[in-house]
Amino acid sequence: MRAPMSSRRPSRPRLAVYVTVAALVVLTSCGDEDSGQGGPDSPARKADGLVATLPDNSRVTLNPTAVQCVPSEEDPDVEVLEIFADLPGARLHIQAVPTDEARSFDLPIDAGDYESGAENISVFIGAPPDVEASSAEEESSGTLELLRASCAPETLEFKIDATLGSETADDGAVRVQGHLVAAGEQ
């Protein structure tokens, strides 16, 4: 008696065809560096991360995934979304005021102060030995697109293609590109 069709193994030639087709699908879906999407480390291929190019031309991938709502330093009655992460090779600090609509910014971005309170969004990157760069510095340039910023649920999403101006030296600017998505802890 033969086993039902669903429990039989495919014949060896049929199995070889399946393996070959699967290999072709994998190879053709990988693309190459000239495909317009960039190489494997290209920010265009990083759906959820930032790539920072430091002043010494070294690159650091910044991919924090957690964000939390905290009272603003400027005004404790106002909540802001915050990411504060010590990552291998860099420190990242992001603060964003929650908003119901997507917004686009040209850098530098006014992030507010103790007098006006927290505003908009700020991105800070630090790296040893003395790199400190911020989206609020006068020498900053480029764009930041704030896609989502909410405390309920805690979610922050933005795209950036910018140079953050140095807070400490004329030659300490940091190039940042990518798309960051972070959510609060469940």
Side-chain angles (χ1 to χ4, degrees):
M1 182 172 168
R2 284 184 133 173
M5 187 69 126
S6 62
S7 65
R8 280 196 280 166
R9 287 188 180 168
S11 66
R12 290 207 187 268
R14 202 177 282 162
L15 182 60
V17 169
Y18 293 146
V19 170
T20 302
V21 169
L24 286 172
V25 168
V26 169
L27 288 174
T28 58
S29 67
C30 289
D32 61 40
E33 289 193 30
D34 296 324
S35 68
Q37 293 181 349
D41 291 329
S42 169
R45 295 177 65 87
K46 301 274 189 207
D48 298 317
L50 306 177
V51 176
T53 304
L54 302 176
D56 65 1
N57 286 323
S58 63
R59 294 175 66 183
V60 178
T61 299
L62 307 167
N63 195 19
T65 56
V67 63
Q68 60 182 344
C69 278
V70 298
S72 162
E73 289 180 15
E74 291 83 8
D75 182 354
D77 293 333
V78 175
E79 282 197 316
V80 294
L81 290 149
E82 183 173 58
I83 293 174
F84 190 76
D86 282 319
L87 305 164
R91 289 183 319 272
L92 177 66
H93 184 212
I94 300 170
Q95 269 195 345
V97 174
T99 181
D100 292 333
E101 55 190 53
R103 297 177 63 195
S104 246
F105 298 96
D106 291 323
L107 276 67
I109 300 171
D110 181 7
D113 55 32
Y114 286 101
E115 197 170 298
S116 67
E119 295 179 15
N120 306 317
I121 183 170
S122 68
V123 178
F124 170 87
I125 294 176
D130 60 359
V131 174
E132 293 184 9
S134 163
S135 58
E137 287 300 309
E138 190 174 302
E139 298 80 24
S140 296
S141 62
T143 58
L144 185 146
E145 187 178 354
L146 182 60
L147 302 171
R148 289 185 291 165
S150 172
C151 281
E154 294 171 327
T155 307
L156 179 60
E157 179 180 10
F158 68 90
K159 292 180 182 180
I160 187 169
D161 185 2
T163 299
L164 306 184
S166 175
E167 293 185 352
T168 58
D170 291 336
D171 59 351
V174 175
R175 180 86 179 130
V176 183
Q177 296 173 295
H179 181 183
L180 179 74
V181 178
E185 302 210 9
Q186 305 297 321

